[in-house]
Amino acid sequence: MNNEELDIDTNSDFPIAIDYQLEDIENFQAKKSSESTGIKLPATLKNQKILNTFNNTSVEDLTPNEFFKGIRRIVIEANGDEIFIGKAIPKKSFRNGGKTTSFEIDAFGNNGDWIIDMKELTLYEVLKRIELTFDKSTIINSWQFDGTDENLPYVFAPVKYAAPLDLVDNNDKNYHIKNFRPSISKFFTIYWAFKMFGYRIKGDFIDSSFYRRQVLPWTFGNFLTSGGTKYDIHKFLAKSDIERRFEEMDDWVDLNVRDFPTPCFDNNNTIAEGDFTGSDAHGGGTELTWKYNTPHYGPLEVTFSMQLFYDYKIDFSSIVELNVFWYQRTISGTQLMQQNQIFDHQAPTAGSTEGSDTVPVWFSTLVNPNDEIVCKIKLRIKESKTATVARCSLKVDEYQIDHFKIPVGGQVTFDSYLPLQKYKFLDFLRGEVDLFNLSFQTDPVNKIVLIEPTHEFSESNDLSQKKGGYFNGDYIDWSDKEDIAKESFVEIYNNNAREFVFKFKDDSNDGALKIVQDRYKITLASGKYLFSERFKAEKKEYENRFYSPTMHYNVDEFADVTGETPQMICLVPENISNTSSSESQNVFSPKSAYYKGLVSGVGGWRMKDNDGSIITYNNYPFLFAVNYKDGGENDPILSYSDEKIGSSTGTKVIGRGLIKRFFWQRLAIMNDGRQLNTFIKLNNKDVTNWFHRERINLHGELFELIKIDGYKALKGVSTSCLLRKWVPITEKESKNTYPSEKSILTDAVEVLTEPISNSDSTLIDKVFDTQYNRLMCLYTDIPR
């Protein structure tokens, strides 16, 4: 333990029992590994020292983070072979006759070694290394993304967000540069996470173009704006403590604007005496001054907002005028940037006029480090000779920085995106498991993690073209190693619901998804597999633990570019009526997409630069979860359901979804259900075959090793093993998978009007079939 050898009791029946399990037998979403629990150690002086005498409750662990109570490194060696490498956790100490007799520890190896380390790892910690300049050059260069360049782990492909595509003209005729958001490489997210803990990843699948081109579209809220980012350190909120009344005057006014008491605040906590707000804003008196102090994040667009209350009354030709002035101080000097006239009123020659209101005042500008913004309020009250009243009361109800924006040409650092802290890396990894039927195994000696789909899979629509999965097609003959002297048994697996539904998480924030699902009363992108009648007459959902469905629409406004309408992912909230389209982007459940590259023949588009210039492109940076264009059936289809591929004028074909491409072999084995529980005379070499990728040949039959139960390296006894019978995919799998081809091509399900017969497969289809709709919405479905 931590490079110190523990004492064992050689006179006792000590041999450690090591368990191995590929996955949970009842829930294949739960991935397992090796473990050895309940390891008993004698209470020798050496062991007590290594374990910090935790048997004595009066001994305190004063090490940083209570090291001795925590997770420790462990290696188990038998006959010169390292048969277990991982993490150990102290559990118990035992007493007898008033003396400590032994200790107990639990050990978790292989996958457990990094799973324990990554338990609290967030996407923020993995992705905060990304930095870029947000400009046209960066965006255009990113279109070359293919997932192979660590220096290009993102692509800026067009996505429809809440704002109009053209922010300036408030329409969708062009795609404004400020609408771009990065889609993040899945591969490098995984690569960086494992690298942080000293591991390398390995796998033909994750190293393929099919996977390396997959990305996470930006669903994490604001991108160019500051909400929830580190830029918030420069925010403040201040207000007047009292309402002040003024009479005859023509001057700047002091409204005693301060950053206290609560709820006012100053994030940097460096207030000087008399300042109205601290590190970034100061002055008191008539100048409300904010300075772009350290920490600096390059040039920023900053927007100030003020809620200014006034109450005036004048009569007999008296005048009252109120203005707000905004100045910017830079190394070049001070410049008046904006004047907001609140009002300029003159009373009638006979009689009076009055008014009272709270008005919003806004000011936006580009600031560089150390620039200052000064806000000054000027009030003019001129009494006529016959006036009986000429007064104005003022109060600042709220003065603050509303938001920052990264300008075109500004620096983007993911270290600023604190909302990414809400997303656990292991949750993301679980979502990948649920998309592609992934299995993991770890070589802790060489620090390699193997990641592959559990069974053979197809990347294209041709299901006969298979690629090897975790079980790689090789086999090991254990026929002579089976201990036939011990009782074994074959069990027929049936501990599952008959209807097994694959689906994504719902996303209550996705307005387009909600509208389409409510319209058709279906669950988009879901599919179903029907097991045989021996299974329970129930329905079980296999829900993706990270991803929600990815919606698309056809951008008709771009159809005139090449005559073909491009398809675009859309991420719009259910209701955007109370948001600012230029500043607010909603948070969505994460989505999965594939970037095909700059593609011709799928439509063109127009990009609008910040200076108003427009570039027309005949090729398109094509990002999708499903490519519904002609030929899209051979692209990745990130939907559990099969999909209807083809344009409105062409022939429709069926594109095979995730169930058929990645899960059919597993489902065929589960439906057959034969599991062999037998005893095998294992040795250390069998156990240190860390990956267990080969199928097991027993007397001419092929099995998959799922579980080793209690291998005792020093005992020389056979070990209980669970193996499941491998069977090929047959026509049965096609008949058992829904929605059916008929439902997909007609977008309808036939209603059953007659009793079902077990011998009538047509009637069975009517009962179990599900309605289908594409992951597409109409332009009119997109909330505005």
Side-chain angles (χ1 to χ4, degrees):
M1 183 182 289
N2 286 99
N3 296 318
E4 294 186 82
E5 187 173 332
L6 292 159
D7 289 332
I8 63 172
D9 186 355
T10 56
N11 295 318
S12 67
D13 186 18
F14 177 74
I16 293 172
I18 295 177
D19 298 331
Y20 162 82
Q21 194 168 345
L22 178 67
E23 60 195 25
D24 190 290
I25 305 302
E26 308 301 334
N27 176 18
F28 60 79
Q29 283 180 296
K31 301 303 174 181
K32 300 290 185 178
S33 190
S34 299
E35 63 181 39
S36 183
T37 57
I39 300 173
K40 283 285 189 74
L41 303 169
T44 64
L45 290 175
K46 185 177 182 181
N47 286 348
Q48 291 190 57
K49 178 183 176 182
I50 294 173
L51 295 170
N52 198 41
T53 321
F54 79 87
N55 56 295
N56 188 339
T57 54
S58 65
V59 175
E60 299 295 332
D61 187 349
L62 302 178
T63 57
N65 300 318
E66 295 188 320
F67 168 80
F68 288 103
K69 290 182 184 176
I71 300 167
R72 314 275 289 279
R73 185 77 176 165
I74 192 170
V75 176
I76 300 174
E77 183 179 303
N79 294 329
D81 296 315
E82 292 181 339
I83 61 173
F84 188 99
I85 300 173
K87 298 290 195 298
I89 301 175
K91 294 295 290 183
K92 300 175 184 177
S93 66
F94 295 88
R95 296 177 181 175
N96 195 336
K99 294 183 178 180
T100 300
T101 57
S102 61
F103 297 100
E104 183 179 304
I105 60 174
D106 289 344
F108 304 92
N110 299 63
N111 295 341
D113 190 36
W114 51 265
I115 288 175
I116 291 172
D117 284 339
M118 290 182 174
K119 186 168 53 176
E120 300 301 325
L121 183 67
T122 65
L123 289 185
Y124 170 78
E125 294 169 282
V126 178
L127 300 177
K128 66 181 182 180
R129 71 191 67 213
I130 299 177
E131 296 181 352
L132 58 95
T133 301
F134 183 75
D135 60 13
K136 183 169 68 173
S137 176
T138 297
I139 290 168
I140 292 174
N141 290 339
S142 78
W143 298 340
Q144 303 305 314
F145 168 86
D146 63 3
T148 62
D149 184 353
E150 190 174 357
N151 296 314
L152 186 60
Y154 53 79
V155 59
F156 285 91
V159 173
K160 169 66 176 174
Y161 289 99
L165 297 184
D166 189 336
L167 296 168
V168 176
D169 293 333
N170 202 38
N171 63 42
D172 293 328
K173 296 292 186 182
N174 310 299
Y175 197 94
H176 198 282
I177 189 172
K178 289 186 177 180
N179 247 329
F180 280 105
R181 306 286 180 266
S183 295
I184 311 301
S185 166
K186 289 183 181 182
F187 174 85
F188 284 113
T189 301
I190 296 174
Y191 170 82
W192 287 330
F194 281 98
K195 186 177 180 181
M196 290 170 66
F197 296 93
Y199 278 100
R200 292 181 292 124
I201 56 174
K202 173 184 176 182
D204 293 336
F205 172 69
I206 60 169
D207 198 32
S208 66
S209 178
F210 181 98
Y211 190 76
R212 281 190 177 252
R213 283 184 171 272
Q214 292 195 29
V215 292
L216 299 167
W218 189 265
T219 59
F220 310 109
N222 297 326
F223 176 62
L224 294 181
T225 50
S226 62
T229 69
K230 286 189 174 181
Y231 308 136
D232 284 351
I233 192 68
H234 294 300
K235 282 190 171 185
F236 68 88
L237 171 62
K239 65 180 180 179
S240 302
D241 56 349
I242 58 173
E243 181 181 316
R244 298 196 66 187
R245 175 170 170 152
F246 302 91
E247 295 179 351
E248 179 81 21
M249 72 173 303
D250 185 5
D251 205 351
W252 309 111
V253 294
D254 179 359
L255 298 183
N256 202 34
V257 180
R258 297 187 175 277
D259 71 329
F260 59 87
T262 304
C264 296
F265 65 89
D266 159 48
N267 280 332
N268 265 359
N269 296 317
T270 53
I271 299 171
E273 186 65 30
D275 291 355
F276 84 90
T277 184
S279 73
D280 299 308
H282 60 270
T286 60
E287 291 194 354
L288 311 182
T289 305
W290 170 86
K291 184 177 181 181
Y292 185 6
N293 279 343
T294 54
H296 294 144
Y297 299 103
L300 292 173
E301 290 180 14
V302 58
T303 295
F304 295 83
S305 69
M306 176 183 290
Q307 297 292 323
L308 179 60
F309 169 78
Y310 66 83
D311 183 3
Y312 70 86
K313 185 172 184 179
I314 54 176
D315 63 5
F316 298 107
S317 299
S318 296
I319 295 172
V320 61
E321 181 183 1
L322 181 64
N323 288 274
V324 179
F325 294 81
W326 301 89
Y327 298 87
Q328 187 162 353
R329 291 175 182 157
T330 69
I331 58 174
S332 301
T334 301
Q335 181 180 358
L336 175 64
M337 304 297 292
Q338 179 175 297
Q339 176 182 347
N340 299 96
Q341 186 172 77
I342 310 304
F343 57 76
D344 182 4
H345 297 307
Q346 183 172 13
T349 55
S352 65
T353 184
E354 59 186 313
S356 180
D357 198 3
T358 300
V359 293
V361 186
W362 298 86
F363 172 64
S364 297
T365 189
L366 177 68
V367 295
N368 288 291
N370 301 312
D371 284 0
E372 291 185 345
I373 302 299
V374 179
C375 177
K376 301 177 72 173
I377 301 170
K378 189 171 187 179
L379 177 65
R380 181 169 75 100
I381 303 175
K382 183 177 181 181
E383 297 183 16
S384 66
K385 293 181 180 180
T386 57
T388 62
V389 59
R391 51 91 180 159
C392 182
S393 295
L394 296 175
K395 181 183 180 183
V396 174
D397 285 337
E398 183 179 88
Y399 179 47
Q400 64 180 336
I401 288 179
D402 185 74
H403 65 270
F404 295 97
K405 285 190 71 173
I406 300 169
V408 175
Q411 298 301 304
V412 171
T413 167
F414 276 51
D415 185 50
S416 299
Y417 291 109
L418 302 182
L420 290 170
Q421 294 174 342
K422 300 176 183 177
Y423 301 89
K424 295 290 182 65
F425 171 76
L426 287 180
D427 288 338
F428 155 71
L429 202 59
R430 291 181 182 105
E432 296 301 291
V433 168
D434 297 343
L435 283 178
F436 304 114
N437 186 29
L438 297 182
S439 284
F440 297 76
Q441 197 49 267
T442 301
D443 175 353
V445 175
N446 296 301
K447 304 289 279 187
I448 295 173
V449 179
L450 174 71
I451 308 173
E452 292 281 9
T454 307
H455 296 99
E456 297 91 341
F457 60 92
S458 175
E459 293 180 349
S460 73
N461 213 44
D462 185 353
L463 300 183
S464 67
Q465 298 297 313
K466 295 287 188 179
K467 294 193 174 183
Y470 180 87
F471 290 107
N472 58 14
D474 294 336
Y475 68 89
I476 300 173
D477 196 328
W478 280 4
S479 300
D480 294 335
K481 297 168 74 76
E482 186 176 15
D483 188 351
I484 59 175
K486 290 189 176 180
E487 183 181 51
S488 64
F489 63 93
V490 174
E491 181 179 10
I492 304 297
Y493 173 76
N494 64 357
N495 193 19
N496 201 351
R498 188 180 185 196
E499 292 184 64
F500 202 80
V501 178
F502 293 77
K503 58 172 290 191
F504 289 91
K505 291 168 68 82
D506 196 21
D507 187 353
S508 59
N509 291 334
D510 192 328
L513 174 67
K514 185 177 188 305
I515 286 172
V516 176
Q517 290 196 148
D518 287 351
R519 175 186 296 145
Y520 298 106
K521 296 180 173 56
I522 60 174
T523 301
L524 290 177
S526 68
K528 176 165 55 180
Y529 183 83
L530 186 65
F531 288 103
S532 67
E533 290 182 332
R534 77 172 186 274
F535 289 84
K536 301 174 186 176
E538 298 172 355
K539 182 182 292 186
K540 180 179 179 180
E541 291 186 345
Y542 174 96
E543 182 176 85
N544 191 287
R545 290 169 287 180
F546 191 69
Y547 292 112
S548 58
T550 305
M551 296 298 294
H552 314 74
Y553 82 113
N554 288 320
V555 193
D556 293 332
E557 286 76 11
F558 292 150
D560 62 307
V561 178
T562 66
E564 176 74 25
T565 303
Q567 172 190 310
M568 188 181 293
I569 288 175
C570 60
L571 292 168
V572 292
E574 182 178 358
N575 182 0
I576 63 172
S577 62
N578 61 348
T579 66
S580 168
S581 61
S582 62
E583 311 302 345
S584 177
Q585 300 293 348
N586 284 53
V587 176
F588 299 89
S589 293
K591 315 286 183 178
S592 180
Y594 175 85
Y595 177 67
K596 191 171 183 177
L598 279 172
V599 181
S600 299
V602 296
W605 63 298
R606 289 176 289 268
M607 184 173 77
K608 190 171 186 178
D609 202 355
N610 205 39
D611 61 6
S613 60
I614 297 172
I615 306 175
T616 300
Y617 294 94
N618 291 332
N619 52 13
Y620 184 60
F622 200 7
L623 181 70
F624 55 82
V626 181
N627 174 14
Y628 291 105
K629 299 288 184 180
D630 292 336
E633 67 272 13
N634 285 316
D635 288 324
I637 293 180
L638 303 180
S639 166
Y640 290 114
S641 168
D642 285 358
E643 293 286 344
K644 180 170 66 175
I645 305 298
S647 64
S648 57
T649 58
T651 302
K652 308 297 187 301
V653 298
I654 297 293
R656 312 300 175 187
L658 295 171
I659 293 178
K660 290 183 178 178
R661 293 194 187 191
F662 289 91
F663 289 88
W664 253 9
Q665 180 63 74
R666 173 186 290 282
L667 295 170
I669 291 171
M670 289 173 64
N671 205 5
D672 177 82
R674 286 172 288 176
Q675 297 181 162
L676 173 62
N677 291 262
T678 189
F679 286 83
I680 304 294
K681 298 172 184 176
L682 298 178
N683 57 44
N684 289 351
K685 299 303 182 185
D686 295 321
V687 174
T688 55
N689 171 20
W690 302 110
F691 295 146
H692 298 291
R693 297 189 67 182
E694 303 84 3
R695 291 191 173 95
I696 305 302
N697 178 16
L698 283 178
H699 312 294
E701 300 287 342
L702 290 181
F703 295 86
E704 296 175 347
L705 178 64
I706 302 304
K707 187 177 181 181
I708 297 172
D709 193 3
Y711 171 67
K712 297 180 179 179
L714 305 178
K715 195 72 173 177
V717 296
S718 58
T719 304
S720 174
C721 295
L722 173 64
L723 305 102
R724 61 188 176 200
K725 179 74 166 61
W726 180 86
V727 296
I729 296 171
T730 66
E731 182 62 25
K732 184 190 305 181
E733 273 56 66
S734 180
K735 293 180 178 180
N736 289 345
T737 306
Y738 300 95
S740 66
E741 185 169 318
K742 179 179 180 181
S743 174
I744 292 170
L745 292 179
T746 61
D747 295 336
V749 175
E750 190 174 350
V751 178
L752 179 66
T753 58
E754 51 197 300
I756 185 171
S757 166
N758 288 336
S759 61
D760 191 335
S761 61
T762 302
L763 292 182
I764 291 176
D765 286 344
K766 292 180 183 179
V767 170
F768 292 106
D769 209 349
T770 54
Q771 189 169 347
Y772 165 84
N773 196 80
R774 287 177 167 184
L775 285 164
M776 294 281 288
C777 66
L778 304 174
Y779 180 78
T780 53
D781 290 334
I782 298 175
R784 288 169 178 76

